[in-house]
């Protein structure tokens, strides 16, 4: 993976210094080299920071074709690329590198934008088509790799990170409406927290010419209508999943550098490590986090899994002081608002992996988003997919689920209370996804801490209407199982904006680590989307079919364990330690007063009440405090207007 910057000007010549500043800001993404190209008329510029993983000697970018009419810069990992290289050579193409990135250049030459249907992997890339004077930029199906853009003056800017746009000269300011959307948990997939800066949404490509820019969707989940679900036996589905996931993991072990694995005590990373170990002639290297608080520490389970898989394991202890010392840097890299210190913990995990000599790691992210791993998906299953169950059984299962939620931290369980704002969702879908209900409840509890001016500005706006205006409701949601609808909507918001940007790319690439996500392999996702809900959620057992498919590769402990989200211990549990002191000092300071969304007097009153709160209150308050702390960091680091 790498860092990319591009500029396309309608009139004014591009400034080389602006391009260089944008590239310099992405050095962490590509410490192994840098190169740029500017067209003769100075209307197009492509800059690349390289993290060398495939073709260590010859994979320098930008790459051009033989007659220099196409140029590419890419932040990518394309799998099964050797097969495509052979095809391209048979078609008459002369490859100048052995890198996987070059295949996209020639596939575009052959198929135009349809080249995207030939690519399997994680990517964001930009191609300049000189013959047709078109700039083509694309992002992978799920948003694993980020790609931001803006038009400033008469110039289109694109980059792997927002900070590179700021460094290149684009003004830095909060987008107040996006911030409001984000407080409800429904930030649109094309927006960011920053004024006039957008994302190329997952599964989209952008075309830019002198007549303007256009966005096109090339992939979507396409969950089958309820009555069109394929009919296979559970045993057949299990075997298909085992085979497809095995292939996805095996492809992701291909690299010219060592490949490690992030490991927790959960099913997802344990399955990845267990399967990967069967394809490695040497013991895999695993990295795991150890928290001080027992309820959050999965070290013992990870150690058991590593031993079972024959892997070596490095344990990275994370203390509150470690998080306090690195919170600001982690937030700067992620460019989003934090809800938990797990982001900083993952940042430290990635640093340890890099210090151990690794550039590539396999991770378990994305599994919950395709198999329905979170508690709110189980709520949706019980409430809206009642296939013959009697009402009394449903209520008993819901009560059991609620009790489990009370002893598991970080889970979104939706209480059954009317929220008028959600009426438009109910009318649109004929139900309200549990995660939207839970986020709305969390938002309403935080309203007293926003400024009256901020609330007045947006209280009449329907955040759900703004969000759903970006969603193909008729084509992607109507006639689908409610759980699949909920999975779809979650993937359009929290998957790309939080899980992949913050817990994935942001904290990994901060230390030049490429994360590879076999659960978000397109072949795996397209298989799982067609499976019956009962195989994803079986009673209260989440990810049932994954448990069965992975059973030969995981311990009994992991097989029988309920979902525990990757959450760091709340800072509010340790009032005298460094992280809580950082929160107290920052939120009481003049820094907080400059963030234009909050009521600082109410926040100080909340801080004063912490000592008399019970543990559940402190846990829920921690989400709010870390969100405020990260807003302060972004305000200061980016100098936001």
């Amino acid at each position: 993976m790498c860092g990319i910057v591009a500029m396309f000007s309608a009139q004014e010549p591009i400034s080389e210094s602006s391009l260089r500043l944008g590239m310099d800001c992405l050095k962490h993404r590509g410490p192994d080299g840098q190169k740029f190209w500017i067209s003769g008329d100075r209307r197009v510029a492509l800059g690349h920071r390289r993290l060398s993983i495939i073709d260590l000697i010859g994979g320098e970018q930008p790459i051009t074709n033989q007659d220099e009419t196409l140029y590419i810069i890419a932040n990518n990992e394309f799998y099964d690329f050797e097969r495509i290289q052979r095809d391209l050579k048979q078609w008459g193409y002369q490859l100048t590198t052995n890198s996987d990135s070059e295949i996209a250049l020639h596939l575009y030459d052959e198929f135009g934008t349809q080249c995207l249907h030939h690519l399997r992997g994680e990517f964001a890339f930009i191609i300049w088509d000189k013959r047709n004077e078109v700039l083509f930029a694309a992002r992978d199906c799920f948003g694993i790799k980020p790609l931001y853009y803006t038009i400033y003056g008469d110039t289109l800017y694109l980059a792997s990170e927002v900070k590179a746009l700021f460094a290149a000269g684009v003004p830095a300011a909060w987008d107040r409406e996006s911030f409001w959307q984000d407080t409800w948990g429904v930030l649109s997939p094309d927006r960011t927290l920053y004024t006039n800066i957008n994302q190329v949404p997952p599964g989209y490509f952008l075309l830019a010419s002198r007549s303007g820019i256009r966005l096109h969707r090339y992939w979507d989940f396409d969950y089958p209508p309820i009555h069109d679900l394929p009919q296979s036996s559970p045993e057949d589905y299990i075997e298909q999943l085992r085979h497809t996931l095995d292939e996805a993991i095996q492809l992701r072990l291909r690299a010219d550098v060592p490949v490690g694995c992030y490991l927790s005590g959960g099913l997802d990373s344990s399955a990845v490590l267990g399967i990967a170990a069967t394809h490695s002639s040497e013991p895999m290297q695993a990295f795991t986090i150890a928290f001080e608080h027992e309820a959050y520490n999965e070290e013992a389970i990870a150690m058991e899994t590593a031993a079972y898989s024959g892997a070596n394991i490095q344990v990275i202890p994370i203390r509150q002081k470690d998080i306090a010392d690195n919170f600001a840097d982690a937030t700067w890299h992620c460019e989003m608002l934090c809800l938990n210190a797990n982001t900083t913990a993952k940042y430290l995990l990635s640093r340890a992996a890099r210090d151990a000599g690794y550039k590539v790691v396999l991770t378990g992210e994305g599994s919950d988003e395709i198999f329905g791993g979170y508690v709110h998906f189980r709520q949706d299953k019980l409430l809206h997919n009642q296939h013959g169950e009697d009402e009394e059984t449903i209520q008993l299962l819901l009560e059991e689920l609620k009790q489990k939620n009370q002893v598991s931290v970080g889970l979104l369980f939706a209480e059954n209370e009317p929220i008028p704002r959600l009426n438009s969702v109910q009318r649109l879908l004929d139900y309200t996804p549990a995660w939207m209900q839970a986020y709305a409840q969390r938002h309403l509890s935080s309203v007293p801490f926003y400024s009256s001016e901020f609330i007045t500005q947006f209280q009449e706006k329907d955040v759900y209407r703004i969000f759903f205006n970006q969603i193909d409701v008729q084509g992607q949601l109507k006639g689908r199982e409610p759980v699949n609808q909920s999975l779809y909507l979650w993937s359009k918001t929290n998957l790309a904006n939080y899980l992949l940007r913050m817990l994935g790319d942001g904290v990994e690439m901060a230390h030049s680590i490429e994360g590879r996500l076999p659960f978000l392999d397109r072949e795996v996702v397209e298989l799982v989307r067609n499976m019956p809900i009962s195989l994803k959620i079986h009673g209260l057992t989440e990810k049932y079919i994954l448990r069965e498919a992975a059973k030969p590769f995981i311990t009994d402990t992991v097989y029988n364990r309920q979902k525990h989200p990757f959450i760091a211990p709340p800072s509010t549990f340790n009032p005298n330690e460094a992280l809580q002191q950082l929160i107290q000092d920052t939120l009481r300071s003049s820094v907080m007063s400059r963030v234009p969304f909050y009521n600082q007097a109410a926040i100080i009153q909340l801080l004063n009440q912490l000592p008399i709160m019970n543990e559940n209150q402190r846990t829920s308050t921690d989400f709010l405090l870390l969100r405020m702390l990260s807003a302060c960091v972004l305000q200061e680091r980016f100098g936001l207007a």
Side-chain angles (χ1 to χ4, degrees):
M1 296 294 178
C2 305
I4 56 177
V5 181
M7 300 177 188
F8 176 51
S9 173
Q11 298 293 333
E12 295 298 318
I14 286 167
S15 163
E16 180 180 320
S17 62
S18 293
L19 178 67
R20 286 182 176 273
L21 288 169
M23 293 170 61
D24 289 346
C25 199
L26 297 179
K27 184 177 181 180
H28 53 279
R29 298 188 72 91
D32 298 331
Q34 62 173 322
K35 189 180 177 183
F36 66 87
W37 170 83
I38 300 178
S39 63
D41 61 4
R42 305 191 70 81
R43 297 290 190 266
V44 183
L46 305 175
H48 187 262
R49 298 280 331 199
R50 188 177 186 216
L51 178 63
S52 54
I53 290 172
I54 301 290
D55 189 11
L56 304 184
I57 304 300
E60 196 175 63
Q61 297 185 35
I63 302 171
T64 186
N65 62 346
Q66 196 169 12
D67 62 3
E68 298 186 352
T69 56
L70 297 175
Y71 294 82
I72 188 172
I73 50 174
N75 171 29
N76 72 279
E77 203 62 60
F78 296 131
Y79 303 112
D80 197 22
F81 69 94
E82 290 99 341
R83 177 186 58 80
I84 297 176
Q85 286 176 332
R86 292 192 295 270
D87 290 343
L88 289 168
K89 289 174 182 177
Q90 289 179 357
W91 299 342
Y93 288 94
Q94 296 183 15
L95 276 63
T96 59
T97 75
N98 291 316
S99 78
D100 57 319
S101 301
E102 188 177 353
I103 67 171
L105 184 76
H106 302 304
L107 286 173
Y108 173 80
D109 194 21
E110 191 73 14
F111 300 109
T113 60
Q114 298 305 301
C115 68
L116 292 166
H117 298 288
H118 297 262
L119 296 170
R120 183 177 183 178
E122 302 102 20
F123 58 83
F125 65 82
I126 301 166
I127 291 176
W128 169 243
D129 182 344
K130 181 180 178 181
R131 284 171 295 196
N132 298 301
E133 294 192 311
V134 169
L135 187 138
F136 167 52
R139 190 177 180 197
D140 64 67
C141 300
F142 313 105
I144 299 170
K145 292 292 113 186
L147 185 58
Y148 300 96
Y149 72 95
T150 188
I151 296 176
Y152 178 56
D154 71 340
T155 300
L156 170 67
Y157 295 75
L158 302 101
S160 297
E161 298 181 12
V162 172
K163 63 180 69 65
L165 302 177
F166 294 158
V170 175
W174 289 110
D175 185 317
R176 296 171 70 88
E177 184 172 272
S178 290
F179 196 98
W180 179 250
Q181 268 193 293
D182 196 56
T183 67
W184 290 87
V186 287
L187 182 65
S188 298
D190 64 332
R191 300 185 73 156
T192 72
L193 297 178
Y194 310 101
T195 298
N196 296 327
I197 295 181
N198 295 90
Q199 304 182 62
V200 175
Y204 275 71
F205 64 85
L206 177 151
L207 290 175
S209 64
R210 297 191 186 279
S211 60
I213 66 172
R214 291 171 293 154
L215 286 167
H216 301 267
R217 187 179 72 192
Y218 71 89
W219 187 90
D220 216 334
F221 284 87
D222 294 324
Y223 284 105
I226 292 173
H227 301 298
D228 291 346
L229 280 170
Q231 297 300 316
S232 295
S233 69
E235 292 75 20
D236 286 343
Y237 278 124
I238 290 167
E239 186 56 39
Q240 289 175 50
L241 177 59
R242 187 177 292 149
H243 170 77
T244 309
L245 183 58
D246 178 85
E247 180 191 44
I249 291 171
Q250 187 175 4
L251 286 172
R252 282 161 177 76
L253 290 171
R254 169 68 175 91
D256 295 335
V257 295
V259 178
C261 189
Y262 286 161
L263 180 64
S264 69
L267 171 63
D268 309 328
S269 62
S270 299
V272 170
L273 176 63
I275 296 172
T278 67
H279 296 290
S280 178
S281 58
E282 301 291 331
M284 291 288 294
Q285 177 62 51
F287 300 90
T288 195
I289 285 171
F291 289 121
E292 293 173 288
H293 196 290
E294 183 180 353
Y296 298 77
N297 187 17
E298 299 182 324
E299 177 186 357
I301 302 174
M303 295 282 285
E304 180 186 2
T305 294
Y308 183 80
S309 302
N312 299 320
I313 187 167
Q314 179 178 338
V315 179
I316 296 90
I318 306 289
R319 298 173 177 81
Q320 292 278 304
K321 185 179 186 306
D322 301 320
I323 292 173
D325 291 344
N326 292 277
F327 183 87
D329 287 341
T331 302
W332 179 80
H333 278 286
C334 293
E335 305 172 340
M336 296 287 289
L337 299 177
C338 296
L339 298 178
N340 180 261
N342 56 0
T343 304
T344 308
K346 185 87 178 287
Y347 173 88
L348 295 168
L349 177 70
S350 296
R351 185 171 73 186
R354 179 67 192 206
D355 290 347
Y358 284 79
K359 292 183 177 181
V360 179
V361 293
L362 303 182
T363 78
E365 272 86 14
S367 173
D368 291 307
E369 281 69 24
I370 63 172
F371 291 105
Y374 299 121
V375 67
H376 44 80
F377 296 134
R378 279 173 277 166
Q379 270 191 281
D380 289 327
K381 166 70 160 50
L382 291 171
L383 289 170
H384 308 296
N385 291 76
Q386 300 177 16
H387 299 296
E389 298 100 327
D390 65 87
E391 189 64 30
E392 185 177 351
T393 300
I394 293 293
Q395 291 306 314
L396 287 172
L397 289 172
L398 281 170
E399 187 59 32
E400 183 181 347
L401 187 63
K402 182 176 181 179
Q403 294 302 319
K404 286 184 176 182
N405 176 66
Q406 290 176 345
V407 297
S408 297
V409 295
L411 302 180
L412 282 171
F413 185 89
E415 298 293 344
N416 185 22
E417 61 182 67
I419 298 176
R421 289 273 184 161
L422 288 166
N423 289 343
S424 62
V425 179
Q426 182 72 35
R427 289 193 299 271
L428 195 63
L429 303 179
D430 295 326
Y431 86 110
T432 300
W435 70 264
M436 285 192 175
Q437 176 86 11
Y439 266 122
Q441 289 164 340
R442 181 181 286 178
H443 167 85
L444 293 176
S445 69
S446 69
V447 165
F449 307 106
Y450 294 111
S451 70
S452 57
E453 183 271 335
F454 182 52
I455 293 171
T456 300
Q457 183 178 0
F458 294 105
Q459 64 182 353
E460 297 301 320
K461 291 200 174 185
D462 185 343
V463 291
Y464 298 106
R465 177 63 51 82
I466 295 169
F467 169 70
F468 276 102
N469 282 345
Q470 304 294 316
I471 301 297
D472 180 8
V473 174
Q474 198 65 36
Q476 292 293 325
L477 299 180
K478 287 297 183 182
R480 272 66 171 189
E481 289 273 11
V483 171
N484 282 339
Q485 293 185 44
S486 190
L487 285 164
Y488 179 90
L489 294 168
W490 179 265
S491 294
K492 294 300 179 182
T493 52
N494 292 282
L495 176 61
N497 287 332
Y498 184 73
L499 184 84
L500 297 178
R501 182 65 186 99
M502 298 192 70
L503 285 173
D505 181 88
V507 293
E508 290 162 356
M509 290 302 291
H511 300 293
S512 311
I513 290 286
E514 174 183 295
R516 296 182 175 181
L517 289 68
F519 286 112
L520 291 184
D521 180 272
R522 192 194 299 193
E523 299 289 330
V524 173
V525 173
E526 291 179 352
L527 172 67
V528 174
R529 74 180 176 192
N530 292 325
M531 293 180 178
I533 297 299
S534 60
L535 289 180
K536 300 174 186 178
I537 304 172
H538 193 70
L540 292 185
T541 301
E542 79 283 356
K543 297 184 286 193
Y544 169 78
I545 190 168
L546 176 59
R547 292 177 191 275
E548 299 306 316
K551 192 173 183 179
F553 310 102
I554 59 177
T555 65
D556 289 342
T557 302
V558 171
Y559 176 79
N560 292 305
R561 190 171 186 247
Q562 180 193 341
K563 166 72 180 177
H564 285 248
F566 170 55
I567 296 289
S571 67
T572 47
F573 286 4
N574 306 93
N576 298 319
E577 293 198 16
L579 181 57
Q580 182 57 209
Q581 289 301 310
L582 174 65
I583 291 171
Q584 293 276 347
D585 293 344
T586 305
L587 300 191
R588 294 176 186 271
S589 73
S590 59
V591 175
M592 184 70 211
S593 67
R594 291 193 290 274
V595 181
F597 309 110
Y598 293 110
N599 178 348
Q600 190 176 22
I603 293 168
I604 291 173
Q605 186 177 3
L606 175 67
L607 294 172
N608 292 338
Q609 292 173 345
L610 279 176
I612 61 173
M613 290 183 182
N614 61 39
E615 187 169 300
N616 285 340
Q617 290 172 323
R618 290 186 182 191
T619 299
S620 60
T621 300
D622 193 68
F623 286 101
L624 179 61
L625 296 180
L626 285 176
R627 185 180 175 86
M628 295 171 180
L629 179 63
S630 55
C632 290
V633 170
L634 296 174
Q635 175 79 35
E636 290 298 290
R637 288 289 184 98
F638 291 139
L640 296 170

